[in-house]
Amino acid sequence: MNCKECGEDVPGEANFCPSCGAALSVAEAGTDDTTASIEVGALDPLHEVDEFPELAPGMGMLVVVRGPNAGSRFLLDRDTTTVGRHPDSDIFLDDVTVSRRHAELLRDEHGTTLKDLGSLNGTYVGGDRVDERHLAMGDELQIGRFKLLYLDAHGAQVVSEA
């Protein structure tokens, strides 16, 4: 088999071309990989959350605004919260576009940081693919087909008082 990008010979079990690094489709690679690829679409219009939850200082929350679990809320109350398709994930997103161990959310005194764990489809904040990003109130995350809205205690209190 040859890579469609550079034409180099690629071993049958490879998911990426060893010469140019181009991703090979499941059909090209001849594997039964269970993570599907997706196209990243345009940002959704401004999301409105009916009621902001009461969050303790330093806490954050993800609200699923698009995807099979739309409306679900995940409190970020641990120092490390795992996200993925693996059943042991703290935030279990059951869709083949999500890697088993897709991302982590790391909480410290400065807030919450999103870290991609080498996922196939990537992790996006505001439409930009990121390896690691500090999150701000209202950031839109895309993980596979799921779009999630990040809320934090400070931002929720400010918006609620307005």
Side-chain angles (χ1 to χ4, degrees):
M1 166 180 61
N2 292 332
C3 173
K4 288 185 180 179
E5 296 294 319
C6 69
E8 288 294 317
D9 188 41
V10 178
E13 70 279 355
N15 291 323
F16 297 92
C17 174
S19 184
C20 72
L24 305 172
S25 71
V26 172
E28 281 179 296
T31 66
D32 61 351
D33 191 357
T34 56
T35 301
S37 296
I38 63 164
E39 294 286 326
V40 176
L43 291 177
D44 288 341
L46 182 61
H47 300 292
E48 305 232 355
V49 176
D50 295 334
E51 291 182 26
F52 283 96
E54 292 291 325
L55 297 173
M59 292 291 161
M61 178 177 280
L62 288 178
V63 178
V64 180
V65 293
R66 193 180 80 196
N69 300 4
S72 296
R73 296 174 180 211
F74 299 99
L75 184 62
L76 306 176
D77 59 352
R78 300 177 180 185
D79 289 340
T80 302
T81 302
T82 59
V83 181
R85 192 167 34 94
H86 193 280
D88 291 341
S89 297
D90 298 318
I91 299 177
F92 176 58
L93 300 177
D94 191 16
D95 188 86
V96 295
T97 60
V98 178
S99 295
R100 286 179 180 83
R101 304 203 189 283
H102 200 102
E104 287 180 336
L105 294 149
L106 309 169
R107 188 173 62 103
D108 63 21
E109 66 274 3
H110 303 293
T112 303
T113 300
L114 173 68
K115 182 178 179 182
D116 184 87
L117 298 177
S119 64
L120 179 64
N121 286 320
T123 302
Y124 297 79
V125 176
D128 297 325
R129 188 170 182 156
V130 299
D131 291 324
E132 190 169 313
R133 171 85 52 96
H134 181 77
L135 298 177
M137 173 67 178
D139 276 346
E140 182 183 79
L141 286 61
Q142 182 165 347
I143 297 175
R145 289 192 177 114
F146 295 85
K147 289 208 177 176
L148 306 106
L149 184 65
Y150 174 74
L151 306 174
D152 63 23
H154 174 71
Q157 291 168 356
V158 170
V159 174
S160 295
E161 293 169 3

